[in-house]
Amino acid sequence: MSDTLIKHALKTASTLTAFALVGTAILAYIFLITRAPIEASEAEARLALFSQILPHDVYDNDLLKTELVIPPNLLLGNRTPSKANIATLGNEPVGVILEAIAHDGYAGDIKLLIAIRADGSVSGVRVLTHKETPGLGDYIEIERDDWITQFNNESLMKTVAKDWAVVKDGGKFEYMAGATITPRAIVKAVAKALQFFNDNKPQLLEKKPAEKMLQGKDKR
């Protein structure tokens, strides 16, 4: 190979390297300047959901700063670590907001936020994400229907195990005709989340909560 070709190749390589370095620097800069606003927006959206399922007057702490890391757990359906936000009033734990995933939805996973009071009763449930059929299975969204509110004040003490099912299956929970799979999945997920709470209540409601929960077993 001639010296001219070698010099040309080196020059081309140097130019490409310079472009790559500049491009990487620009992307890193954009990431840095947009990360804070994105995180703030996500935090605001999460707090807005929290306020729908746990009234502000029942706690006085910053929920986003009082978190537990929950490792993968069969009862919650989380295959990767998820968060639990602990609510306190005067430094006394009064409830927890859990993330749960129903993997048996009609069109895929249904991700839920479930607020549970210290006495084991449900304060509220909201759907975070789902892929259910628009116009049929999407009535689980609070913006479209109040179906999800039937879990308010429910507990494993109030409703026995056999009744944690939709009416069609002999349970107590209503559903929309033609869309039974979706509510079945959510009813099951809420019941499992309540079982997780009962199994881990001491750790969840400690004044200085542990960083990790023990792996639970799928009892339903």
Side-chain angles (χ1 to χ4, degrees):
M1 183 180 293
S2 68
D3 291 343
T4 302
L5 288 176
I6 293 174
K7 289 180 180 179
H8 180 72
L10 290 173
K11 183 178 180 181
T12 300
S14 298
T15 301
L16 290 174
T17 300
F19 274 115
L21 290 173
V22 171
T24 300
I26 291 173
L27 289 174
Y29 175 72
I30 292 174
F31 171 76
L32 288 173
I33 63 174
T34 59
R35 180 174 60 180
I38 290 174
E39 289 178 348
S41 178
E42 290 176 347
E44 184 178 350
R46 195 169 181 83
L47 283 173
L49 276 175
F50 287 173
S51 68
Q52 292 182 27
I53 57 178
L54 194 66
H56 287 295
D57 58 359
V58 304
Y59 66 94
D60 58 11
N61 65 308
D62 185 342
L63 291 177
L64 294 180
K65 292 182 178 179
T66 315
E67 295 182 340
L68 286 176
V69 177
I70 309 296
N73 189 284
L74 292 174
L75 289 173
L76 293 181
N78 58 321
R79 292 169 177 164
T80 59
S82 63
K83 296 177 181 178
N85 298 87
I86 313 302
T88 62
L89 183 63
N91 293 321
E92 291 293 329
V94 295
V96 60
I97 298 177
L98 299 172
E99 295 178 359
I101 301 175
H103 295 292
D104 45 359
Y106 180 77
D109 291 352
I110 303 172
K111 189 172 183 179
L112 305 168
L113 273 184
I114 304 171
I116 304 174
R117 302 183 186 95
D119 64 2
S121 63
V122 175
S123 176
V125 180
R126 289 293 183 272
V127 174
L128 283 174
T129 59
H130 72 88
K131 300 177 183 177
E132 303 306 278
T133 306
L136 187 60
D138 59 2
Y139 68 92
I140 59 177
E141 299 175 17
I142 190 65
E143 295 83 4
R144 298 179 180 275
D145 196 277
D146 64 357
W147 178 87
I148 201 77
T149 62
Q150 66 184 307
F151 296 105
N152 293 0
N153 302 313
E154 282 290 346
S155 71
L156 297 184
M157 291 290 291
K158 178 180 179 181
T159 300
V160 297
K162 68 180 182 64
D163 290 334
W164 279 92
V166 296
V167 174
K168 183 178 181 180
D169 299 332
K172 65 177 290 185
F173 295 93
E174 299 296 334
Y175 68 99
M176 182 180 291
T180 313
I181 295 176
T182 302
R184 276 183 183 142
I186 294 179
V187 170
K188 184 178 179 182
V190 174
K192 285 183 175 182
L194 286 171
Q195 187 62 60
F196 174 85
F197 175 83
N198 284 355
D199 291 350
N200 295 280
K201 184 175 179 178
Q203 298 98 316
L204 288 168
L205 298 185
E206 284 181 2
K207 289 189 177 181
K208 293 183 179 180
E211 285 298 317
K212 299 286 184 180
M213 297 291 100
L214 297 177
Q215 192 97 354
K217 294 182 178 179
D218 194 340
K219 299 182 179 180
R220 293 178 180 268

Coordinates of all heavy atoms in Angstrom, one line a residue, residues 103-110 131-133 136-137 178-182 185:
H103 N -50.2 -10.7 34.6 CA -49.7 -11.2 33.3 C -50.7 -11.9 32.5 O -50.4 -12.4 31.4 CB -48.5 -12.1 33.6 CG -47.3 -11.4 34.3 ND1 -46.6 -10.5 33.6 CD2 -46.8 -11.5 35.5 CE1 -45.6 -10.1 34.4 NE2 -45.8 -10.7 35.6
D104 N -51.9 -12.0 33.0 CA -52.9 -12.8 32.3 C -54.1 -11.9 31.7 O -55.2 -12.3 31.6 CB -53.5 -13.9 33.2 CG -53.9 -13.4 34.6 OD1 -53.6 -12.2 34.8 OD2 -54.4 -14.2 35.4
G105 N -53.7 -10.7 31.3 CA -54.7 -9.9 30.6 C -55.0 -10.4 29.2 O -54.3 -11.3 28.7
Y106 N -56.0 -9.9 28.6 CA -56.4 -10.4 27.3 C -55.4 -10.2 26.2 O -55.1 -11.0 25.4 CB -57.7 -9.8 26.8 CG -58.2 -10.2 25.5 CD1 -58.8 -11.4 25.3 CD2 -58.1 -9.4 24.4 CE1 -59.3 -11.9 24.1 CE2 -58.5 -9.8 23.1 CZ -59.1 -11.1 23.0 OH -59.5 -11.5 21.8
A107 N -54.7 -9.0 26.3 CA -53.7 -8.6 25.3 C -52.3 -8.5 25.8 O -51.5 -8.0 25.1 CB -54.2 -7.4 24.6
G108 N -52.1 -8.9 27.1 CA -50.8 -8.7 27.6 C -50.8 -8.3 29.1 O -51.9 -8.3 29.8
D109 N -49.7 -7.8 29.6 CA -49.6 -7.4 31.0 C -50.5 -6.2 31.3 O -50.6 -5.3 30.4 CB -48.1 -7.0 31.3 CG -47.2 -8.3 31.3 OD1 -47.8 -9.4 31.2 OD2 -46.0 -8.1 31.4
I110 N -51.0 -6.1 32.5 CA -51.7 -5.0 33.0 C -51.0 -4.6 34.3 O -50.9 -5.3 35.2 CB -53.2 -5.3 33.4 CG1 -53.9 -5.9 32.1 CG2 -53.9 -4.1 33.9 CD1 -55.3 -6.4 32.4
K131 N -52.7 -3.2 27.5 CA -52.8 -3.3 26.0 C -54.2 -3.9 25.7 O -54.3 -4.5 24.6 CB -51.7 -4.2 25.5 CG -50.3 -3.7 25.8 CD -49.2 -4.7 25.3 CE -47.8 -4.2 25.6 NZ -46.8 -5.2 25.2
E132 N -55.2 -3.7 26.5 CA -56.5 -4.3 26.3 C -57.2 -3.6 25.1 O -56.9 -2.5 24.7 CB -57.3 -4.2 27.6 CG -56.7 -4.9 28.8 CD -56.3 -6.3 28.5 OE1 -57.2 -7.2 28.6 OE2 -55.1 -6.6 28.2
T133 N -58.2 -4.3 24.6 CA -58.8 -3.8 23.3 C -59.6 -2.5 23.6 O -60.4 -2.4 24.5 CB -59.9 -4.9 22.9 OG1 -59.2 -6.1 22.8 CG2 -60.5 -4.5 21.6
L136 N -63.5 -2.0 24.5 CA -64.0 -3.2 25.1 C -63.3 -3.4 26.5 O -64.0 -3.4 27.5 CB -63.8 -4.4 24.2 CG -64.4 -5.7 24.7 CD1 -66.0 -5.5 24.8 CD2 -64.1 -6.8 23.7
G137 N -62.0 -3.7 26.4 CA -61.3 -4.0 27.7 C -60.8 -2.7 28.4 O -60.3 -2.8 29.5
G178 N -68.6 -9.6 27.5 CA -67.8 -9.7 26.4 C -66.3 -9.4 26.7 O -65.5 -9.5 25.8
A179 N -66.0 -9.0 27.9 CA -64.7 -8.7 28.3 C -64.4 -9.2 29.7 O -64.2 -8.4 30.6 CB -64.5 -7.1 28.2
T180 N -64.4 -10.5 29.8 CA -64.3 -11.1 31.1 C -62.8 -11.3 31.5 O -62.5 -11.3 32.7 CB -65.0 -12.5 31.2 OG1 -66.3 -12.3 30.6 CG2 -65.1 -13.0 32.6
I181 N -61.9 -11.6 30.6 CA -60.6 -11.9 30.9 C -59.8 -10.8 31.6 O -59.1 -11.0 32.5 CB -59.8 -12.3 29.6 CG1 -60.4 -13.6 29.0 CG2 -58.3 -12.5 29.9 CD1 -59.8 -14.0 27.7
T182 N -60.1 -9.6 31.1 CA -59.4 -8.4 31.7 C -59.8 -8.2 33.2 O -58.9 -8.1 34.0 CB -59.8 -7.1 30.9 OG1 -59.4 -7.3 29.6 CG2 -59.1 -5.9 31.5
A185 N -58.2 -10.9 35.5 CA -56.8 -10.7 35.7 C -56.6 -9.6 36.8 O -55.7 -9.8 37.7 CB -56.1 -10.2 34.4

